[in-house]
Amino acid sequence: MTTKISSSTITDTAAAPLTRRPRRLRRSESIRTMVRETVVRPEDLIYPLFVVPPSRARVEIGSMPGVFQLRVREAVETAQRAFEAGVRAVLLFGLPETKDGIGSSSWDPTGPVQSAIEGIKRHVPAMTVIADVCLCEYTDHGHCGVIVDHDGVKDVDNDQTLPLLMKQAVSFAAAGADFVAPSDMMDGRIGAIRRALDGRGMTDVGIMAYSAKFASGFYGPFREAAESAPQFGDRRTYQMDPANGREALHEIDIDVEEGADIVMVKPALAYLDIIRQARDSFPLPIAAYNVSGEYSMVKAAAERGWIDGPRVMNEILTSIKRAGADLIITYHALEFAEAFR
Ligand code: PBG
């Protein structure tokens, strides 16, 4: 059957004002899915795990519901479960048995991170294992480097810290880490670690650099989880001023020059503009760290019934990816991936 259209109808239609109706693309879930610009996949997520020595127990972090301090075997099981849900990378933090002024337990080959790397690589070989490189979990003063006293003012010495970070990174690489992720914010550490790895033939081990890491109030719950709060002062002489956007690009630029394979912006939510600028300025993969405080705020508000937790989780992860992040480090990874399937 053909429908007859009179010439007058066509003329009328052509003369009529065009309808501007963006809502046509929102009419059904099928159409919305078809035109959706940004989709977060479990493969985009990196799951952080806190590993404790065998002497300790599996404990839930008070300020981070659903996040646990895990012994090696539990970390391996969690990695297995995350892999089955589609997560392809974990980021390991360690809580050592002992701490000292220089964080020497961080390069103990039998330390919690080294043991977890070996365990995960043995039991879940396809999982990408990234090891966080920093001294603050391993020093008794809780700072990310060596403390020096300049006329009564204590500070973290940059160049005395570099060899310690190199030792730690090499130790994690020797245990089988695919990537090391320096989060200390010392100048020159990417080049120093790259040279240390290359000098030992570890040219396949990558570096995910915490390039633009800001001195943020959003790290509070992490410091409970990692038992890494500074015992005096704060981290503002090494982590970035939250006010500085151009400086973030400068920091990323330096890390790219020094051989970073992946660069990171951290935290994520208050820094979406930085993520976008990084994406527009550099061809390397951009990671964003959806940090502990961002996670805890969602969990706390959801617990009170003030927001819909899973819905807000989706919206947040989508916003970080939309801003330009290729990879998102997030404590929501397992929950998101298991809901995704
Ligand atoms: C260690 C480190 C921190 C985080 C990752 N690596 C804490 C800090 O710098 O104090 C924060 C992660 C989070 O808050 O989720 N330097």
Side-chain angles (χ1 to χ4, degrees), residues 252-263:
I252 296 172
D253 203 29
I254 292 171
D255 286 359
V256 171
E257 281 299 306
E258 292 183 17
D261 300 284
I262 300 171
V263 292

Side-chain angles (χ1 to χ4, degrees), residues 66-77:
V67 177
F68 297 82
Q69 294 177 341
L70 303 166
R71 284 167 297 195
V72 169
R73 191 147 68 84
E74 293 147 353
V76 172
E77 285 162 7

Side-chain angles (χ1 to χ4, degrees), residues 147-155:
I147 301 295
V148 287
D149 196 308
H150 290 305
D151 305 321
V153 181
K154 288 183 184 170
D155 194 18

